[in-house]
Amino acid sequence: MSDSESPNAPGTSDAPGTPDVPGTSDVPGTSDVPGTSDAPGASGAPGGNEAEFLAERFESQRSHLRAVAYRMLGSLAEADDAVQEAWLKLSRTDASRVDNLGGWLTTVVGRVCLDMLRSRRTRGEEPLAEPGDVPVRMPEPVISPVSGIDPEQEALLADSVGLALLVVLETLTPAERLAFVLHDLFAVPFEEIASIVGRTPAASRQLASRARRRVQGGAPAPDPDLAQQREVVDAFLAAAREGDFDALVAVLDPDVVARSEGGVTAGAIAVATGASSFAHLARVARPALVNGAAGVVVVTEGRPVGVLAFTVVHGRIAAIDILNDPERLAGLDLTLLES
């Protein structure tokens, strides 16, 4: 089917069709997937309008599929592309043979995302490296006002998907990332994951286990109280504005890491030293929620020049993740911060 003939996903505005992604033509996964709801076959469409009924069923899964794709890819635009591809696959499929639409679509999106991650590797876009190496890619943050998360962002940020978690996911291989995201975050069984990555269920379990260890070591669970998070971040900004080195060290965890596309800095002394030069930017930092946690957007002359996400653990900053790439910053939706 050509792009001009490809049906658009419901809820999109004349989106062009997406060409087939290798490895997604024969998608397994019609068995039940935990965490997804069973749906009747398309043949049960009321009034016989099967195309409209199928579109409605797909639309009911959209937020879930976008959440899966965002965790897999760390990019909202690429997540939307993956969801669009899932619609194209569904539109070419006899949906009456699909027992569980939610599980089937989750498998399709997982396979599409896996191919996209592998494509990054072939283009030389390696995942973020460990401290001491040079990282090359930060995930795209979801920005919200301090008053709360927009309803459309709630599914994206469910289960505390902070920027620190996405940063650590960037260090995983594509297969490890898929196994961890689908199993640990969406309860997809390893039998389903094995069919996507082309390995045995036991090998898929090992992929998820390796990924889990990396995540537990690099993305600690933040303190749940947003007000307390904000107090710690405000104390950091105040110390940075005043150039108070001792106050900076006091608010940082001894093993804090600051990560950006320019490198990784580890340790409270090193991070505080770098933050001391942040004084002029701290004065124009706007408070925001970054992936649901306390953060700031640095704005100069009406344009964003940086986004900082803070992971606060036991009252101290354990991680600072920084996006400062001008091109990617220009693509962020900051309209909610203007109100």
Side-chain angles (χ1 to χ4, degrees):
M1 182 180 295
S2 66
D3 286 350
S4 61
E5 297 171 331
S6 299
N8 290 329
T12 61
S13 175
D14 295 329
T18 306
D20 285 343
V21 177
T24 60
S25 57
D26 297 313
V27 180
T30 57
S31 60
D32 285 347
V33 176
T36 60
S37 60
D38 290 337
S43 59
N49 191 346
E50 294 187 2
E52 181 178 346
F53 184 54
L54 187 63
E56 291 175 355
R57 293 173 64 198
F58 179 85
E59 192 63 29
S60 71
Q61 298 289 334
R62 176 182 293 278
S63 61
H64 163 75
L65 298 176
R66 195 166 184 248
V68 172
Y70 178 60
R71 288 154 178 74
M72 281 292 301
L73 301 169
S75 164
L76 294 172
E78 290 183 348
D80 287 337
D81 289 343
V83 173
Q84 171 72 0
E85 179 67 20
W87 164 249
L88 294 175
K89 296 295 181 186
L90 179 61
S91 68
R92 300 169 185 149
T93 299
D94 180 3
S96 65
R97 300 175 61 186
V98 178
D99 295 328
N100 175 9
L101 184 64
W104 188 87
L105 286 170
T106 299
T107 302
V108 171
V109 167
R111 192 184 292 270
V112 170
C113 291
L114 181 64
D115 289 336
M116 294 172 74
L117 289 173
R118 287 170 172 168
S119 178
R120 285 181 187 171
R121 290 287 184 95
T122 62
R123 296 196 306 267
E125 298 180 25
E126 294 295 328
L128 282 166
E130 290 296 291
D133 297 326
V134 180
V136 296
R137 190 180 187 278
M138 288 288 290
E140 179 183 346
V142 176
I143 310 297
S144 313
V146 292
S147 57
I149 298 172
D150 183 87
E152 294 185 0
Q153 299 172 335
E154 289 180 356
L156 280 176
L157 302 177
D159 303 319
S160 301
V161 182
L163 200 65
L165 170 61
L166 293 176
V167 168
V168 175
L169 292 182
E170 292 288 343
T171 70
L172 306 178
T173 67
E176 287 173 344
R177 186 167 187 167
L178 181 135
F180 175 81
V181 168
L182 291 192
H183 181 267
D184 285 39
L185 303 184
F186 293 99
V188 176
F190 286 117
E191 290 75 13
E192 295 283 344
I193 294 170
S195 68
I196 301 174
V197 297
R199 306 192 187 189
T200 65
S204 300
R205 188 184 298 273
Q206 287 299 315
L207 289 172
S209 178
R210 289 199 298 270
R212 196 177 302 119
R213 288 194 295 270
R214 184 77 65 86
V215 167
Q216 291 171 346
D223 293 346
D225 190 320
L226 274 176
Q228 291 182 359
Q229 289 184 29
R230 178 58 56 189
E231 289 179 5
V232 174
V233 172
D234 287 347
F236 171 86
L237 293 174
R241 284 191 294 265
E242 297 166 7
D244 189 333
F245 185 83
D246 290 338
L248 281 170
V249 173
V251 79
L252 296 172
D253 184 272
D255 298 320
V256 63
V257 292
R259 298 173 287 219
S260 73
E261 293 180 337
V264 178
T265 303
I269 300 299
V271 172
T273 300
S276 298
S277 62
F278 178 68
H280 65 294
L281 294 178
R283 296 188 180 94
V284 291
R286 298 184 184 178
L289 296 179
V290 181
N291 285 61
V296 297
V297 178
V298 181
V299 180
T300 61
E301 299 181 353
R303 60 184 180 85
V305 296
V307 173
L308 283 73
F310 296 84
T311 302
V312 178
V313 180
H314 303 311
R316 289 189 174 187
I317 296 171
I320 307 173
D321 293 296
I322 307 164
L323 177 65
N324 53 17
D325 177 72
E327 182 176 349
R328 298 179 65 199
L329 286 168
L332 294 179
D333 182 5
L334 302 178
T335 55
L336 291 174
L337 297 184
E338 298 172 359
S339 57

